[in-house]
């Protein structure tokens, strides 16, 4: 199929109008973006200060003071601006746009004469530029600002920030490269690569694509740039604030720089870095037709999603380095599953869908979106999980230091606040994830069932459609074609993995057979404006088991219903949740409850609770033979994304199963 | 009952002669003590150097050099000497005694004129004495050397080291106390308290008992000494090598100094510190009749053993600070359960038995001894676990940083090598743990069933007996009274918790009824020399369950047989072990296998393995409904203490149970 050069070009032609998602997009627009603006300006009482805007003011010479926050603090402003861009595209707001314009002017003022832009190195370590790519996130921050520039430009047509970032990219080209005197290096935290691809998409300037490719191609080659750079610094570490032993190339696995990217086949190291890199690799494979890169993307996708992904779409199972550990090591309680990592996985999935429309990519995208990502944000939009556990015992989170990183309650903001603005930019650009179009093949793919109005320019002409969806509560989406060309057009509707392949298609009220291609129901015909396509993938609550190699889930099952993973909370089921179990064949009753956190389908089932009355409090162990039968109880499960919005307490996704 | 002033006075009158234990005591004598001597002298190829003897040579002025090892390195020499003392008591060895005498002369040479003794402060920080009791273990090292001095004196009658340590204790008296100009303080790592009690026992000098009591009484009072001392140092930390914020009194919970010991009721902080302190508290409660202290001991015993103890007798569930976490938090995989902590628990249990002969103390003592402690040492006596896990996945130990502290293979020696010499001193003094005697009440208690010859001085006269035992393989112990007084004497035989209270007594071949007092079968009569008492507590393999609040063990059971906890190893049962399950009512077959690591009873049972063939390698999750039945398999369990002595692999103590 013919592929588009940028993923953004359709964004303004797709608008979400959806009973489930409207509240999230409105929350982002009405609460999260304003709240984060306050946070960036250090005006949230009781929350850790961000310093992010203040840093730009100081760098711009408008204020005196010290740099504050993390070395990558600039990226929070960038992510906020990017979210603002998407939000403005969908929902004009002159006041917000004026605020953004002011921020952009501030950023422009902080830019150096030569194009360089980074408040940390401007304020705190002038002259230290490009000496610690390993740790100091200079290109990472630049990448986020480029993404913001593109989003803002595409939303408003305003080029100011785009030009600032093009100047920076042009300057980068003079710094990095294989020519003598240039740095043959790359950033310790990938992000610039995917951002340069976006800059290329927005400007058509091929040199930005080439620079992205340079960074990807150099990564992990010998001699290892990050190791050599560390040697140049005599081992000095920004984070340790002292000299450390020079790391080996193998240790650069944390940064996915232990070997060339085309030779990598296992997801290793810091999970956000990994998926941002995979995203760029997929972009480049698509835009350059690099088959070797595509193969690497497929291998890394498989390893990430089939061996190292939680059922919630979370990735990265250890908080030590916020990293992947190894295949099937997916502990539920000492989990990491960082919000940003799932967002990066969604980016990667979307790029893989652009490369090849296979439903498995969208299945994972949907899983991460409906569970890990939206679960990270409180219903008020002001509190966030950074770590998204599948099992919480609040007392352990407080009193067992190995679980301090797992919070039982969402936090107002973070010293290292990467996650909240990342959620905001994803949710405010969600319209970009619903469809993709193959113009040359006159095909419109529907990946997500989210109510929306969309139009696509195909070779055959313009197609416009209106989707109405009852997801995630019912398996039912209705498409009305509002504009169609004369020539045949293919509609490809994803057959979700949760439907078990059972999905009914009706066209203008009549049941229709369909062919299946790569997990999509495919219908090619000449359409008439007003045609109605109804799509009903089977959506029912079911128990799901984990691969036996995932030891943490042995003898346990999870309740899933459509795209939603469910969990048990103490507030509904008492404590300890570990005492509860369920029979594999128990019917799962679904009921939509309007008064639960804005309305949700709750699942009730017969279960069992290990009895505790016959235990003496001072008997830790006793013969199993004296046990009494478990007591029948009614289990109540709520969608995972809603957990922790009522009374704090235990939560578990995986439930013990009884019998075989 | 009348209580003895020292627990040591009978030690030379009890000799172990036991099929099971001889190999351990011989291993300690023939291998561990010589091997540790080599280690203390830095002569083990491939192992981390100890520096311990070298430090003494430098401090004694016999060698030039820098201090090496931990600040508490002296204690390794002390623990070795203590083990040598016990070993010589049971098994004279002129060459070993000569070596020990030389070490003692070396130690004496390293002692300061005023009695002070510590190689770290002599070599590395002269003048810094008593400025960092919080971190620097000065009194801890002194305490271990006092224990060595007492053991060596009691074994050999030689007073050299005893006098060295009395001089140090006398000097301590001039440093610590409530009088003006003295330090009103105590050590950051408890040990001196129990050691001073031993020094009192060996010398009869009451001032040593009073000094022990001073340390116990001052601990945790306000103003908090450790906090104030830290303030005096301006926050400088030995471990961090820089100034840190002044801690709060609450943070001194790590050192059990957050409140006065009599007000403590929950085991908190570093687990070894805790149980060493509880040991001294029980000593003092016994020797001073302090009822409030006794109550605190009972409360802390209850909390430690009934809410925070693993089934193996391990305590301390987090490696962060090698510490207790909180009630019922007993994860099997991220466990700590340090060997030294279980040894300290055994010390505590023994002191509680001396206070009040209740079988629950001996039950815990036996549990920790037969499982956690002997399991920490390899069958060759040269490799040790510091952490004693209940579940091991070797790949996770290597690749998940949160489990790096859990080793899948015993290590040759440690930089911080507290555990191996602690095992040696416990096993070489095991004869002291079998019996206790109440001279005034003419009662001999048998706590452990370990073949031995013993004699006791009671008010009624001398009693001598010979115990033969088939424990742990059969529930059968035979006592022959070889010397008896004319007056009646009470034999009190422990009814082990694992017998479920079913135990048969025969005297001279005839079944005999008995009364039960505090978990002991009690028989009072006039005995005749040659009388034979046979004691047969019911010993059979059974499944044991954990209290429902111990979430880690929900839906799981452990195989126990007599005092032994069993485990499954990958080498016998394949991988993943988490796929295995067992029915609650499955018969457990016991068979003594001679060729398994010196002979052991192995347990076989019908179990089930979750089938894996129908899973595709690339399917992490699938509907539970498509599962196939678990396959019947033969499970093979081996005693926990033997795990990790064959091929490295997975191990689990807790096994999933099927059905209710």
């Amino acid at each position: 199929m013919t592929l588009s050069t940028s993923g953004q070009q359709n964004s303004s032609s797709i608008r979400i109008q959806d009973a489930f998602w409207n509240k999230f997009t409105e929350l982002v627009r009405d609460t999260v973006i304003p709240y984060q603006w306050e946070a960036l300006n250090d005006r949230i009482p009781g929350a850790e200060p961000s310093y992010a805007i203040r840093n730009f003011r100081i760098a711009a010479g408008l204020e005196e003071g010290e740099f504050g926050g993390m070395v990558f603090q600039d990226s929070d402003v960038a992510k906020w601006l990017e979210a603002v861009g998407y939000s403005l595209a969908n929902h004009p707001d002159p006041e917000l746009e004026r605020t953004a314009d002011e921020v952009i002017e501030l950023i422009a003022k902080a830019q150096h004469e030569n194009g360089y832009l980074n408040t940390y190195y401007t304020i705190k370590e002038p002259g230290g530029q490009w000496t610690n790519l390993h740790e100091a996130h200079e290109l990472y921050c630049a990448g986020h600002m480029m993404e913001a520039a593109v989003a803002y430009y595409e939303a408003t047509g305003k080029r100011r920030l785009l030009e600032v970032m093009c100047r920076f990219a042009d300057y980068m080209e003079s710094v990095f490269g294989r020519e003598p005197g240039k740095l043959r290096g790359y950033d310790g935290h990938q992000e610039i690569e995917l951002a340069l691809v976006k800059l290329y998409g927005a400007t058509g300037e091929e040199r930005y694509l080439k620079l992205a490719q340079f960074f990807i191609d150099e990564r992990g080659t010998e001699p290892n740039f990050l190791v050599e750079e560390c040697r140049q610094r005599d081992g000095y570490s920004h984070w340790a604030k002292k000299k450390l032993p020079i790391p080996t190339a193998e240790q650069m696995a944390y940064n996915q720089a232990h070997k060339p990217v085309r030779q990598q086949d296992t997801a290793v190291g810091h999970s956000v870095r990994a998926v941002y890199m995979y995203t760029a690799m997929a972009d480049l494979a698509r835009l350059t037709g690099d088959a070797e890169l595509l193969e690497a993307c497929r291998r890394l996708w498989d390893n990430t999603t089939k061996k190292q992904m939680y059922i919630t779409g979370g990735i990265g199972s250890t908080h030590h380095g916020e990293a992947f550990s190894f295949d099937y090591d997916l502990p539920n309680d000492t989990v990491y599953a960082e919000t940003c990592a799932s967002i990066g996985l969604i980016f990667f999935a979307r790029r893989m869908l652009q490369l090849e429309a296979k439903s498995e990519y969208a299945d994972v995208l949907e899983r991460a979106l409906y569970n890990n990502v939206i679960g990270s944000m409180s219903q008020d939009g002001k509190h966030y999980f950074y770590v998204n556990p599948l099992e919480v015992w609040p007392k352990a989170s407080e009193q067992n230091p190995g679980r301090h990183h797992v919070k039982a309650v969402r936090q107002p903001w973070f010293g290292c606040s990467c996650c909240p603005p990342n959620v905001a930019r994803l949710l405010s650009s969600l319209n970009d994830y619903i469809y993709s179009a193959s113009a040359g093949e006159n095909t419109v793919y529907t990946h997500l069932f989210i109510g929306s109005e969309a139009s696509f320019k195909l070779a055959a002409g313009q197609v416009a459609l209106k989707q109405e969806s009852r997801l995630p509560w019912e398996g039912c989406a209705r498409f009305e074609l509002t504009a169609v060309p004369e020539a045949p057009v293919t509609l490809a509707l994803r057959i979700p993995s949760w439907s078990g392949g059972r999905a009914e298609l009706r066209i203008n009220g009549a049941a229709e057979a369909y062919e299946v291609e790569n997990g999509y129901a495919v219908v090619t015909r000449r359409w008439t404006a007003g045609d109605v396509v109804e799509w009903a993938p089977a959506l029912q609550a079911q128990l799901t088991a984990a691969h036996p190699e995932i030891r943490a889930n042995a003898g346990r099952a999870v309740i899933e219903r459509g795209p939603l993973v469910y969990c048990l909370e103490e507030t509904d089921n008492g404590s300890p949740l570990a005492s509860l179990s369920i029979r594999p064949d128990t019917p799962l009753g679904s009921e939509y409850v309007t008064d639960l956190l804005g309305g949700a389908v709750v699942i009730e089932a017969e279960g069992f609770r290990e009895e505790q009355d016959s235990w003496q409090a001072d008997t830790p162990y006793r013969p199993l033979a004296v046990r009494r039968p478990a007591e029948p109880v009614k289990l109540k499960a709520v969608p995972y994304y809603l957990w922790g919005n009522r009374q704090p307490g235990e939560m578990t996704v995986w439930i013990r199963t009884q019998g075989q």
Side-chain angles (χ1 to χ4, degrees), chain A:
Chain A
M1 60 183 141
T2 311
L3 294 158
S4 58
T5 53
S6 159
Q8 304 303 109
Q9 86 284 17
N10 290 323
S11 60
S12 59
S13 63
I14 301 168
R15 283 177 183 282
I16 291 177
Q17 191 58 254
D18 183 89
F20 183 79
W21 286 101
N22 276 7
K23 73 174 176 192
F24 288 97
T25 47
E26 284 163 17
L27 193 65
V28 169
R29 192 175 68 224
D30 299 339
T31 303
V32 180
I33 288 175
Y35 180 80
Q36 294 187 345
W37 175 243
E38 294 304 295
L40 292 173
N41 285 281
D42 313 328
R43 293 191 295 245
I44 305 285
E48 296 180 41
S50 156
Y51 307 107
I53 290 291
R54 193 169 148 271
N55 289 338
F56 275 101
R57 291 185 54 79
I58 297 166
L62 303 176
E63 197 174 320
E64 295 279 308
E66 288 296 308
F67 178 87
M70 301 279 187
V71 69
F72 49 82
Q73 211 69 6
D74 289 1
S75 62
D76 284 355
V77 176
K79 282 189 237 172
W80 178 80
L81 264 179
E82 187 185 348
V84 168
Y86 300 136
S87 180
L88 292 176
N90 294 303
H91 188 89
D93 177 339
E95 198 187 318
L96 179 62
E97 191 168 331
R98 194 159 47 241
T99 303
D101 286 340
E102 285 169 19
V103 172
I104 288 167
E105 283 311 313
L106 179 64
I107 293 166
K109 276 207 185 71
Q111 187 169 34
H112 293 204
E113 199 57 44
N114 62 7
Y116 182 83
L117 176 66
N118 182 291
T119 70
Y120 176 84
Y121 280 103
T122 303
I123 304 170
K124 186 125 175 185
E125 269 192 61
Q129 286 89 340
W130 314 127
T131 58
N132 193 350
L133 287 150
H134 183 205
E135 297 178 309
H137 297 67
E138 272 166 297
L139 292 175
Y140 168 87
C141 289
H144 275 301
M145 201 59 87
M146 284 176 192
E147 289 200 86
V150 171
Y152 200 74
Y153 161 66
E154 294 189 343
T156 63
K158 292 181 181 170
R159 303 184 62 90
R160 181 70 166 132
L161 188 57
L162 192 69
E163 282 161 9
V164 164
M165 294 318 295
C166 285
R167 274 184 66 206
F168 195 1
D170 295 342
Y171 169 61
M172 273 177 212
E173 248 199 307
S174 74
V175 174
F176 293 93
R178 295 191 184 84
E179 298 84 356
K182 290 190 179 178
L183 280 175
R184 201 161 165 167
Y186 41 87
D187 206 62
H189 194 315
Q190 301 91 316
E191 155 66 24
I192 187 70
E193 303 82 357
L194 73 87
L196 284 164
V197 173
K198 285 194 177 179
L199 202 61
Y200 158 67
T203 62
E205 293 289 350
E206 210 160 327
R207 64 181 188 278
Y208 301 144
L209 187 69
K210 291 227 162 85
L211 187 56
Q213 183 150 17
F214 165 81
F215 287 134
I216 286 291
D217 288 350
E218 283 301 313
R219 197 166 201 91
T221 58
E222 285 292 334
N224 190 291
F225 169 76
L226 297 180
V227 172
E228 295 307 312
E229 184 205 56
C230 194
R231 220 186 293 280
Q232 293 287 324
R233 287 195 312 277
D234 209 8
Y236 183 82
S237 160
H238 168 84
W239 297 108
K241 301 287 175 220
K242 62 178 178 186
K243 289 182 187 177
L244 297 178
I246 307 295
T248 63
E250 288 70 39
Q251 289 172 311
M252 293 305 165
Y254 175 75
N255 310 77
Q256 298 82 35
H258 55 307
K259 53 169 107 165
V261 303
R262 287 173 185 75
Q263 294 169 29
Q264 298 188 23
D265 41 28
T266 308
V268 293
H270 186 258
S271 55
V272 175
R273 284 170 165 84
V275 281
Y276 281 15
M277 178 175 90
Y278 306 159
T279 299
M281 287 166 64
D283 272 336
L284 287 164
R286 173 171 54 89
L287 294 168
T288 67
D290 183 330
E292 208 185 341
L293 207 49
L294 172 59
E295 270 314 306
C297 287
R298 286 180 178 143
R299 288 196 308 272
L300 291 165
W301 172 269
D302 284 349
N303 181 263
T304 302
T305 63
K306 294 166 184 171
K307 305 272 173 77
Q308 299 201 69
M309 186 183 72
Y310 288 95
I311 197 158
T312 51
I315 53 173
S317 58
T318 171
H319 74 286
H320 296 270
E322 309 180 318
F324 290 104
S325 58
F326 64 99
D327 291 358
Y328 300 119
D329 182 42
L330 294 165
N332 296 305
D333 52 356
T334 58
V335 52
Y336 205 66
E338 185 182 340
T339 306
C340 288
S342 283
I343 291 171
L345 180 61
I346 288 172
F347 297 159
F348 183 26
R350 176 157 174 266
R351 302 313 195 280
M352 292 307 289
L353 279 174
Q354 289 179 282
L355 262 166
E356 44 188 13
K358 292 183 179 171
S359 64
E360 64 165 294
Y361 302 128
D363 285 334
V364 167
L365 194 163
E366 185 187 60
R367 182 179 287 287
L369 176 65
Y370 279 83
N371 299 290
N372 194 296
V373 172
I374 57 172
S376 73
M377 187 168 70
S378 64
Q379 289 292 298
D380 68 4
K382 294 179 179 172
H383 299 80
Y384 297 87
F385 285 128
Y386 196 91
V387 170
N388 296 278
L390 283 83
E391 187 175 309
V392 166
W393 182 12
K395 214 167 174 182
S397 295
E398 286 163 24
Q399 297 190 39
N400 185 324
R403 290 165 72 171
H404 280 344
H405 66 285
V406 177
K407 303 298 179 200
V409 173
R410 293 175 183 81
Q411 308 291 302
W413 195 257
F414 298 88
C416 170
S417 57
C418 52
C419 297
N422 232 347
V423 172
R425 70 182 182 130
L426 177 72
L427 293 182
S428 56
S429 60
L430 193 59
N431 49 337
D432 286 336
Y433 294 79
I434 303 171
Y435 308 97
S436 66
S438 173
E441 296 182 2
N442 289 316
T443 300
V444 173
Y445 292 91
T446 301
H447 306 302
L448 297 178
F449 304 103
I450 296 178
S452 49
E453 288 180 31
S455 66
F456 308 92
K457 279 196 200 104
L458 304 180
Q462 189 82 9
V463 173
L465 55 81
K466 188 177 172 196
Q467 180 183 174
E468 288 169 8
S469 166
R470 300 209 198 117
L471 265 281
W473 312 125
E474 290 177 56
C476 190
R478 178 183 183 278
F479 300 83
E480 183 182 343
L481 288 126
T482 50
V484 290
E486 295 224 348
V489 161
T490 302
L491 288 192
L493 301 169
R494 174 171 147 257
I495 306 168
S497 58
W498 43 259
S499 71
R502 297 183 306 281
E504 284 177 17
L505 179 72
R506 302 179 82 83
I507 297 181
N508 296 327
E512 194 86 13
Y514 54 82
E515 283 184 32
V516 177
E517 275 178 24
N518 291 323
Y520 289 79
V522 168
V523 188
T524 306
R525 56 194 275 173
R526 284 179 213 280
W527 301 90
T528 308
D531 278 351
V532 170
V533 176
E534 287 166 299
W535 180 235
L539 187 153
Q540 61 185 40
Q542 59 184 344
L543 288 170
T544 301
H547 194 286
E549 292 287 338
I550 306 176
R551 287 150 179 77
N553 299 332
R556 302 169 94 184
V558 63
I559 298 172
E560 291 193 285
R561 187 172 182 280
L564 296 179
V565 169
Y566 277 70
C567 68
L568 303 181
E569 286 196 86
E570 181 180 336
T571 188
D572 298 313
N573 299 282
S575 164
L577 292 178
S579 284
L580 301 174
S581 60
I582 193 168
R583 287 231 176 90
D585 52 2
T586 297
L588 303 172
S590 301
E591 189 191 359
Y592 188 85
V593 177
T594 50
D595 62 354
L596 179 76
L597 300 164
V601 169
V602 163
I603 294 175
E604 290 200 333
E606 297 297 331
F608 298 89
R609 181 192 310 281
E610 220 177 298
E611 65 89 26
Q612 198 170 132
D613 296 344
S614 73
W615 278 88
Q616 283 158 321
D618 64 354
T619 305
Y621 307 105
R622 71 176 190 189
L624 182 64
V626 305
R627 78 200 178 285
R628 294 189 201 155
E631 302 151 355
V633 288
K634 182 84 81 179
L635 302 179
K636 179 175 170 183
V638 298
Y640 174 78
Y641 80 88
L642 287 176
W643 89 269
N645 279 289
R646 294 174 293 164
Q647 292 85 340
E650 291 182 44
M651 183 277 290
T652 190
V653 166
W654 291 92
I655 309 167
R656 283 195 298 118
T657 53
Q658 284 224 341
Q660 290 189 39

